[in-house]
Amino acid sequence: MRKTHYIKLINQRDVQAMQAMRCCGYMNRTQLKHFLTDSRIKAFCHERVIERCLYQKGKEQVECYRFSRGGFQWCEKHMEEINSRNLYRSASPLHDIAIANKYLSLSLDQRETWRTEQELRGQFEQMLDQLREEDFSRWIQLKDMWEKNQISVPDGAYQDGERTVLFECITNNYGETELQAKEEYALAVHLEIQYQKI
């Protein structure tokens, strides 16, 4: 018989783990273990907050975890720090795990400043609205590029001291057009972009 609840008390490491998953999408077991013990990972799976899945990497199947259906909503309900934050829209396990590697390489202070692709998109759209009032010709130019997908939002961003750094994972499938669209975003918002090839 299934217990009513497997997670009764939420600690800071639970919140940090779910924040990481919110920012990165898929995470592998090693990445989750930066925050959670094996038994705690199992409890989150039994609570149906996260789920174990497999993906193909070369000839091997690799274990990873993601929010289950309703898992993110569970976090919003039980973890004040996650409430009203945008969830990263997953690209693929391999891509997301590379993002998680970057995220985990940051200091705790830097992680707390991480913004997802969705959050960056919202900020860019707000910037466009503001530009319409302040610099109409620039607004026309950027809006046209945005609508033609000549500007593309990166995977995330974080604060490094006083500066904001954009971050993008790229695969062999990225062509010159996709890379140029990322560069155009960085130019439009006047920020540096870091790339990591996977």
Side-chain angles (χ1 to χ4, degrees):
M1 183 169 153
R2 187 179 187 280
K3 283 185 188 178
T4 310
H5 293 288
Y6 289 85
I7 299 176
K8 293 183 173 103
L9 294 174
I10 296 167
N11 62 48
Q12 191 57 35
R13 294 185 69 74
D14 295 336
V15 173
Q16 290 172 350
M18 297 305 106
Q19 279 282 32
M21 195 165 281
R22 178 194 71 78
C23 292
C24 305
Y26 287 88
M27 294 176 71
N28 63 32
R29 186 175 204 83
T30 303
Q31 292 167 334
L32 268 181
K33 287 183 75 170
H34 279 272
F35 310 103
L36 306 175
T37 62
D38 285 328
S39 62
R40 198 65 171 165
I41 292 170
K42 192 174 180 179
F44 271 99
C45 287
H46 284 309
E47 191 72 35
R48 297 187 177 135
V49 176
I50 62 174
E51 61 188 6
R52 179 182 173 272
C53 43
L54 298 172
Y55 73 96
Q56 200 70 31
K57 185 178 179 185
K59 293 183 179 182
E60 66 177 310
Q61 286 199 323
V62 181
E63 175 186 62
C64 62
Y65 294 84
R66 66 180 176 201
F67 280 118
S68 62
R69 173 171 268 172
F72 183 66
Q73 290 76 13
W74 185 95
C75 289
E76 286 183 308
K77 182 178 176 184
H78 294 90
M79 298 176 179
E80 187 177 307
E81 298 87 345
I82 291 182
N83 198 1
S84 309
R85 294 295 306 270
N86 285 323
L87 177 64
Y88 172 75
R89 301 286 178 228
S90 181
S92 73
L94 186 64
H95 180 267
D96 294 359
I97 286 168
I99 293 171
N101 282 335
K102 176 62 177 182
Y103 180 85
L104 293 171
S105 75
L106 302 174
S107 71
L108 183 57
D109 287 342
Q110 290 172 319
R111 286 184 211 161
E112 288 176 359
T113 67
W114 186 273
R115 285 174 279 158
T116 65
E117 183 175 346
Q118 289 297 108
E119 289 169 321
L120 293 173
R121 182 181 319 289
Q123 289 174 339
F124 186 78
E125 289 170 346
Q126 285 177 344
M127 184 197 81
L128 280 180
D129 289 343
Q130 201 171 9
L131 260 182
R132 184 177 187 172
E133 304 299 321
E134 297 170 3
D135 186 348
F136 192 75
S137 62
R138 180 75 172 140
W139 173 75
I140 293 281
Q141 177 191 19
L142 290 178
K143 187 167 174 24
D144 184 55
M145 291 174 74
W146 181 248
E147 289 172 351
K148 291 178 179 174
N149 294 321
Q150 294 171 340
I151 294 177
S152 179
V153 179
D155 293 319
Y158 62 94
Q159 289 299 124
D160 185 13
E162 294 297 311
R163 67 189 183 113
T164 301
V165 180
L166 304 171
F167 180 74
E168 177 70 25
C169 282
I170 57 173
T171 66
N172 291 334
N173 298 334
Y174 273 58
E176 188 60 39
T177 305
E178 288 88 356
L179 287 174
Q180 186 59 43
K182 301 295 180 184
E183 287 294 328
E184 291 295 344
Y185 178 89
L187 288 170
V189 296
H190 309 289
L191 295 174
E192 161 194 350
I193 187 167
Q194 292 178 348
Y195 295 99
Q196 181 175 329
K197 190 164 173 60
I198 54 171

